[in-house]
Amino acid sequence: MSEETEIMVTPDGPLVVRGDFVVVDTQGVPVERRRDTVALCRCGRSRIQPYCDGSHAAGRPVTG
């Protein structure tokens, strides 16, 4: 049986996703992940999209 997926919305931060899930790009191709729990960027500032690198806290300007 697969693990239930949980998505936690953090205030002024990323979406933290835990459980059984696949992250895909706009073409439907799976994006590599190395952890069971990931933080997905919501601010657009991360240099490792789609994952959060903490740039929201540093106030780095939005790119792209």
Side-chain angles (χ1 to χ4, degrees):
M1 185 173 177
S2 64
E3 182 182 348
E4 183 175 322
T5 301
E6 174 184 278
I7 302 172
M8 180 176 56
V9 180
T10 61
D12 298 320
L15 296 173
V16 178
V17 187
R18 293 180 178 92
D20 188 20
F21 62 93
V22 177
V23 177
V24 298
D25 66 15
T26 58
Q27 303 297 313
V29 177
V31 176
E32 179 183 7
R33 66 181 174 108
R34 297 182 178 128
R35 301 177 177 169
D36 293 332
T37 300
V38 298
L40 298 176
C41 178
R42 291 194 299 156
C43 74
R45 294 180 175 114
S46 176
R47 293 182 179 154
I48 57 169
Q49 292 284 342
Y51 303 111
C52 177
D53 67 0
S55 293
H56 59 278
R60 185 178 308 132
V62 175
T63 58

